[in-house]
Amino acid sequence: MTAADPLLDLHRALRAAAPHDLVRALTRVLDDHLGVGRCTLLLADYGVSALQPFGTEPSADTAVPIGGTPAGRAYLSQEPVVIGAPEAPGQTAYLPVSVRGDRIGVLEVVLPTGTDPKLTSLLSEAAQALGHELVAADPSTDVYAKARRLRRLTLAAEMQWDLLPGRSCERPEFTLGAQLEPAYSVRGDNFDWSVSERKLSISVTNGMGHGVHAASLTALAVSALRNARRSGADLAFQAELASQAVWSAHTGSGYVKSVLLEIDLATGSVDAIDAGSPTVTRLRDGQVERIELDAQFALGALEDTRYVPERFMLHPGDRLVVVGEGVHGFRSAAGEVFGDRLLAACVRKNRLAPAPEAARAVLRDLALFRGDSTATDDAVCLCLDWRGAAARQEG
């Protein structure tokens, strides 16, 4: 038996398994080859506050907090965490489960006594193989979507989460992360991205209104933007086609505030359209500055609107933070606005955190500013760390 046999058998078993049976198939292979008797998949919940064991009834009692636990440390660092000595019973490995930077959860593996520490790398590859199969299986089963929620999602939130491309993405040139709040009842706020060989396209959107009405507006706008982008349209035409789609359905009674960004991966050149209220902020060399863009009409606000992109540059080491109106424009009961000052302070304070965690940190600071435990307004934050084309060439 060669060292490659476990992974080869694992890939075969995962491909042959039913969509809902992936964890059991992985456990069987690891048990046969390594004597591992228990594997638990811990899935990040929608609010990224806890890891929920797959196969148990989701609840606050069974969830593993991300903060202050070995599993949470593995999730946040995206590095394996091993607890216990190899010669001691009950040694446990926590292995990140992610796909191209999109953080899905953690695989918890209880190791047999005397396990060779070098097997951690093999188990890490097994966790990554599981991640790829989870992504492939997700559209054909509800079991993983159900396991990720600690409580019921509203219908509007269900629509919004199904619309997302993921919560994080990584390539040599960049790392990208974003979060929506309130995670279980978000309405109109959303984000989208797509990466090709040459470009990274990003949108942050906010449909007017509340509940399903706002979610439907956003879904229409995002779908129209994707349709235009996939047809090869340039950024201005994407905005114009999406605006016309929203106008045709609502004739001005509903609109979608948006910011659209298209980043050239070779140069860091950014074409941008501010079609509403999302705010774009850049951290460079420790200094935070707002990217001032010309305010243009929201998508669907007027018929036959024409949009004009503006251009700015990203330098290696830059961090770009995009927040919706529910963050930047939130006003406390005392009349204080979250605004540029508090946003800049939060961006500076979390400058060393990875992009996905930095996006969550902005929304945590917003919750502290709000002073309540339950969000009533939509909030979205997207964070991009730019390394540039040189990182791709070095890799």
Side-chain angles (χ1 to χ4, degrees), residues 262-298:
E262 193 169 76
I263 303 170
D264 187 313
L265 296 178
T267 66
S269 172
V270 184
D271 287 337
I273 293 175
D274 177 356
S277 64
T279 301
V280 183
T281 297
R282 178 173 58 202
L283 171 66
R284 174 179 290 170
D285 298 328
Q287 300 299 313
V288 180
E289 61 175 336
R290 182 170 176 177
I291 304 295
E292 298 289 350
L293 299 171
D294 290 338
Q296 302 182 60
F297 290 112

Side-chain angles (χ1 to χ4, degrees), residues 72-197:
R73 196 158 75 246
Y75 180 84
L76 293 174
S77 69
Q78 289 296 287
E79 296 289 342
V81 173
V82 181
I83 302 299
E87 65 276 6
Q91 185 188 33
T92 304
Y94 298 92
L95 309 145
V97 178
S98 58
V99 178
R100 294 184 174 88
D102 190 13
R103 304 174 177 198
I104 298 171
V106 172
L107 182 66
E108 178 186 356
V109 181
V110 177
L111 305 174
T113 303
T115 298
D116 186 344
K118 294 180 181 178
L119 288 177
T120 301
S121 61
L122 186 149
L123 292 172
S124 294
E125 291 189 54
Q128 296 308 301
L130 175 63
H132 283 271
E133 293 298 332
L134 287 170
V135 170
D138 209 34
S140 56
T141 179
D142 287 337
V143 296
Y144 304 110
K146 289 170 66 177
R148 286 194 292 268
R149 57 195 68 189
L150 298 181
R151 58 185 183 274
R152 183 173 179 175
L153 269 70
T154 64
L155 176 56
E158 191 85 51
M159 294 169 66
Q160 295 296 59
W161 284 106
D162 280 350
L163 197 60
L164 296 182
R167 279 190 296 212
S168 51
C169 178
E170 187 162 5
R171 275 189 43 165
E173 302 93 335
F174 66 85
T175 299
L176 180 61
Q179 179 63 15
L180 300 175
E181 291 293 345
Y184 289 84
S185 56
V186 66
R187 299 173 290 273
D189 278 14
N190 207 278
F191 56 84
D192 189 33
W193 59 65
S194 175
V195 61
S196 65
E197 181 181 2

Side-chain angles (χ1 to χ4, degrees), residues 134-361:
L134 287 170
V135 170
D138 209 34
S140 56
T141 179
D142 287 337
V143 296
Y144 304 110
K146 289 170 66 177
R148 286 194 292 268
R149 57 195 68 189
L150 298 181
R151 58 185 183 274
R152 183 173 179 175
L153 269 70
T154 64
L155 176 56
E158 191 85 51
M159 294 169 66
Q160 295 296 59
W161 284 106
D162 280 350
L163 197 60
L164 296 182
R167 279 190 296 212
S168 51
C169 178
E170 187 162 5
R171 275 189 43 165
E173 302 93 335
F174 66 85
T175 299
L176 180 61
Q179 179 63 15
L180 300 175
E181 291 293 345
Y184 289 84
S185 56
V186 66
R187 299 173 290 273
D189 278 14
N190 207 278
F191 56 84
D192 189 33
W193 59 65
S194 175
V195 61
S196 65
E197 181 181 2
R198 298 180 178 179
K199 292 182 180 180
L200 169 63
S201 300
I202 295 172
S203 66
V204 173
T205 51
N206 176 16
M208 167 190 170
H210 304 283
V212 172
H213 174 75
S216 298
L217 268 171
T218 297
L220 175 59
V222 171
S223 297
L225 287 168
R226 288 175 176 171
N227 178 258
R229 185 181 70 232
R230 292 165 183 171
S231 73
D234 62 23
L235 192 65
F237 201 33
Q238 291 172 35
E240 289 160 12
L241 287 177
S243 182
Q244 190 58 44
V246 175
W247 172 267
S248 296
H250 298 278
T251 58
S253 63
Y255 52 81
V256 180
K257 298 177 179 180
S258 309
V259 65
L260 312 179
L261 306 173
E262 193 169 76
I263 303 170
D264 187 313
L265 296 178
T267 66
S269 172
V270 184
D271 287 337
I273 293 175
D274 177 356
S277 64
T279 301
V280 183
T281 297
R282 178 173 58 202
L283 171 66
R284 174 179 290 170
D285 298 328
Q287 300 299 313
V288 180
E289 61 175 336
R290 182 170 176 177
I291 304 295
E292 298 289 350
L293 299 171
D294 290 338
Q296 302 182 60
F297 290 112
L299 303 180
L302 296 174
E303 188 176 13
D304 296 328
T305 303
R306 295 291 176 260
Y307 293 93
V308 179
E310 300 173 73
R311 180 163 293 180
F312 63 91
M313 294 295 299
L314 291 175
H315 297 169
D318 282 356
R319 166 168 286 179
L320 209 61
V321 178
V322 185
V323 297
E325 188 177 25
V327 179
H328 187 271
F330 183 85
R331 186 179 296 273
S332 70
E336 184 183 3
V337 178
F338 191 80
D340 289 338
R341 182 180 63 83
L342 292 178
L343 177 59
C346 181
V347 171
R348 278 193 298 270
K349 180 177 65 175
N350 294 284
R351 63 190 180 280
L352 299 180
E357 182 61 17
R360 288 178 55 212

